[in-house]
Amino acid sequence: MKTLKIPEATITRLSVYSRFLSQVDQKGIVTISSVEIADGVGVSPAQVRKDLAYFGEFGTRGVGYNVQDLHMHILKILGLAQDWTVVIVGAGHLGSALTMYNGFRGRGFRIVALFDQDPAKIGSEYNGAPVLPMDKLKDIVQSKKVDIGMVAVPAEHAQDVADSLVDAGVAAILNFAPRVLSVPNNIEVRNVDLSVNLEILTFNLVFNRDYQKA
Amino acid sequence: MKTLKIPEATITRLSVYSRFLSQVDQKGIVTISSVEIADGVGVSPAQVRKDLAYFGEFGTRGVGYNVQDLHMHILKILGLAQDWTVVIVGAGHLGSALTMYNGFRGRGFRIVALFDQDPAKIGSEYNGAPVLPMDKLKDIVQSKKVDIGMVAVPAEHAQDVADSLVDAGVAAILNFAPRVLSVPNNIEVRNVDLSVNLEILTFNLVFNRDYQKA
DNA sequence: GACTGTGAAGCCATTCACAGCT
DNA sequence: AGCTGTGAATGGCTTCACAGTC
């Protein structure tokens, strides 16, 4: 069995391609070329072809790609042929906003519950998902076969929450807290760091500005 | 004047180092080595030294780095020696969560207003920031010298909002909508794509799972 | 003629390994 | 002896350019 290592950047782009293709599909367009995809998402055509080539031959030479067919293949590659079950720890502003966010449900992510240690929040419900106490976490993860936990608590509690999620049995964690988590290496972790992105912007702003005068 | 191109990954890490250093500083630790920083944030010591070396010599051979001194230098590099003025377009769940998020204010980002087209939302206030109608956007950006606009509207309105922000005069955009924005190339744009990160997780989950059985 | 799929080349980032300070 | 700063080596991703197919 031959195995190429897939660059993570390729996966990021596949996710972007897939959203672009769903737009294109909604317009009723049947066929698309690598150049058109590239223009639509701001990468090079060679990049598009190379990314797809890691996973097979989805196009027809001289013609291009069938939009629906390619879209379906990419969704499958990304693991979106199935639904995923998610819990969110932290029912504050961010946790509730994530629960209400439509971008997740539309792509097969089902948020089954939120968890919080604040008694005042427990018992309420967002978008059909109940807010439960932390001691129910393991029960729910096990009984609902939860795959993914999102960490939406302040930085100082993030590691404890991650430990609880690992103990409860999730396979992956999406961390919104601005702290590096340590977890066993069979657990997938990704960080969505809101400040980091802002700070890359500010770096670029001051950096360019300095060069204006150099 | 000699100019190296700085990898974007370096900037990302600097932002992470800086948060780690502020934790370390709070513990009263005065000196730190590249190995300790590396352990704390999960990168290699050589990487830490290389990242810092792009900007100068901040350490002392045989000793390490002075925590406060290094932290201050990194903040300066990231452009965080000054405050930045921000507006958020979209006063829905995400927009309001971003406004309440403490991680921004703590690092010098001041959110001065939100904008929304929904009359029902206009007039309310989050964390001291008023929700205003879109036709006030340009006024506020000009009068408050707003540097950065955040896009927190549904994907289908994201491009229009970006156009308005550019027209109003912001220098940079942080886009939370799952759509590729096109803007003049003197405007800095970064995307925080919540679904992309989830989908990298699911890809890794199915990918590894497939290999378990191969 | 048009467009994909892909080896090869080029480029960029990370790691190595050690010289240089303290 | 300990740790930084850095040229050189490595590894990985992107772009090039063209053979292959429709």
Side-chain angles (χ1 to χ4, degrees), chain B:
Chain B
M1 181 162 188
K2 78 167 181 187
T3 312
L4 296 94
K5 237 201 70 212
I6 317 289
E8 181 170 299
T10 289
I11 309 307
T12 303
R13 285 187 297 265
L14 285 177
S15 177
V16 175
Y17 301 160
S18 100
R19 284 198 319 252
F20 177 69
L21 289 173
S22 81
Q23 280 177 63
V24 170
D25 187 24
Q26 271 163 30
K27 288 189 199 149
I29 295 166
V30 176
T31 303
I32 195 166
S33 70
S34 60
V35 175
E36 292 168 305
I37 296 173
D39 288 348
V41 304
V43 304
S44 75
Q47 184 76 83
V48 171
R49 295 198 299 274
K50 188 60 92 167
D51 286 338
L52 297 174
Y54 283 113
F55 300 97
E57 307 195 0
F58 304 120
T60 310
R61 289 165 198 233
V63 179
Y65 303 90
N66 177 285
V67 173
Q68 291 196 351
D69 184 56
L70 180 60
H71 188 209
M72 190 205 67
H73 273 107
I74 294 178
L75 289 177
K76 202 163 175 187
I77 292 164
L78 292 173
L80 301 179
Q82 63 173 102
D83 276 11
W84 293 89
T85 305
V86 178
V87 293
I88 298 179
V89 182
H93 300 293
L94 184 58
S96 59
L98 290 171
T99 311
M100 310 301 262
Y101 182 63
N102 287 316
F104 294 148
R105 214 178 17 268
R107 294 182 74 84
F109 296 101
R110 285 183 23 243
I111 296 163
V112 295
L114 290 89
F115 294 86
D116 206 293
Q117 57 178 2
D118 179 358
K121 285 177 185 152
I122 290 164
S124 53
E125 200 171 280
Y126 295 101
N127 223 358
V131 180
L132 305 174
M134 285 301 287
D135 59 23
K136 289 271 167 57
L137 178 62
K138 196 163 187 171
D139 284 0
I140 296 289
V141 168
Q142 303 279 336
S143 65
K144 304 260 184 175
K145 298 196 191 326
V146 171
D147 307 290
I148 300 170
M150 295 192 194
V151 176
V153 299
E156 56 272 27
H157 301 120
Q159 183 63 56
D160 287 347
V161 165
D163 293 344
S164 302
L165 283 166
V166 170
D167 174 64
V170 302
I173 293 176
L174 190 63
N175 175 36
F176 289 86
R179 183 143 317 186
V180 177
L181 302 180
S182 60
V183 298
N185 53 17
N186 59 324
I187 307 287
E188 292 289 330
V189 177
R190 293 200 55 86
N191 299 294
V192 178
D193 196 313
L194 305 170
S195 294
V196 164
N197 281 287
L198 255 182
E199 292 170 12
I200 296 172
L201 283 181
T202 58
F203 170 81
N204 288 334
L205 291 176
V206 296
F207 193 80
N208 292 334
R209 191 177 300 161
D210 284 350
Y211 278 80
Q212 239 69 312
K213 39 179 188 184

Side-chain angles (χ1 to χ4, degrees), chain A residues 93-114:
Chain A
H93 300 293
L94 184 58
S96 60
L98 291 172
T99 311
M100 310 300 261
Y101 182 61
N102 287 316
F104 294 147
R105 215 179 14 269
R107 295 184 72 85
F109 296 100
R110 286 184 21 245
I111 296 163
V112 295
L114 290 89

